[in-house]
Amino acid sequence: MSVRWARMVHNLSGILQAGAEGFDRIQPSLELLNTLSKEDWAQIGMVPEVCSSPLPPDAHVTERGFNIYAWTEYLKRAVSRAAELGCKRIAWSEGRSRVLPLEGDISGVREQLMQFLYMLCEIAGNFDISILVEPLGPRRTNFLNSLDEISEFLPLVDKDNLSSMISLRELSDIGFSFSDIDRYSSLISHVQIENPLLEGPQRRAPKKEDGVDYKSFFSALRTAGYNNVITLPEDAAADSLEYCRALWKSPD
């Protein structure tokens, strides 16, 4: 079974460093790819098979005044550039971007979110790219907090290129155990792995001394037949990558 190992990157130097550290892939944001020049592109030499963040960090789909159509041209351009470099999936893991209001026109805001996803899937579908909505715990958002909710929501958008993903650090908050991976394998189109014991927004790469049972996580993924990309955080270096690769190959 073959997986590709990616590292999150937030600037051009991080992209170039990822190759030197031994990673197969990079995971940049769409915004980063959109700001790179043709000269920068020529230096990349690595495939962003999975990209993050369809919108810039200050664009929140459920905020008052968000205009779906105003973002159409930006997304067409950004997704097209990503596709040229080999992108196949775009991960939407920004909880703040989909927070629903506690009062007022909640159903209208929810409908706006669905319309945005439909539009994004339409654009991405033109390039054979899938959109992945990650379930996040209540500390990060108040909408789509479990894979059960995701599995009920995605058919409402009714796009074949809409799926989901998981991050190890979120599993506890979304009430998900390793034993659930096989049950939801058809929804898990991408995996991100980081130290799940650390609080805060910063992701940290897995290390042997963390005291985390990473091996059981990898074992559950292998048993479920997972064979896509596994992404490590931006601070991951060659030693973290080697550690994770060894666990992936380790017999149960």
Side-chain angles (χ1 to χ4, degrees), residues 29-38 40-41 74 81:
S29 67
L30 275 191
E31 184 181 35
L32 173 58
L33 292 187
N34 201 45
T35 58
L36 294 176
S37 67
K38 289 185 177 180
D40 293 333
W41 285 23
Y74 169 87
R81 288 185 174 181

Side-chain angles (χ1 to χ4, degrees), residues 30 41 43 45 47 54 58 66 95 112 117 136 184 217 219 222:
L30 275 191
W41 285 23
Q43 296 183 65
V47 177
D58 59 346
F66 180 85
Q112 177 169 285
L117 276 173
L136 300 168
Y184 291 100
F217 180 61
S219 177
R222 285 200 313 271

Side-chain angles (χ1 to χ4, degrees), residues 116-126 129-131 157 159-163:
F116 169 77
L117 276 173
Y118 188 93
M119 179 267 288
L120 179 58
C121 287
E122 282 274 293
I123 293 171
N126 293 327
I129 291 175
S130 297
I131 303 301
V157 182
K159 296 299 291 184
D160 291 340
N161 62 330
L162 185 60
S163 188

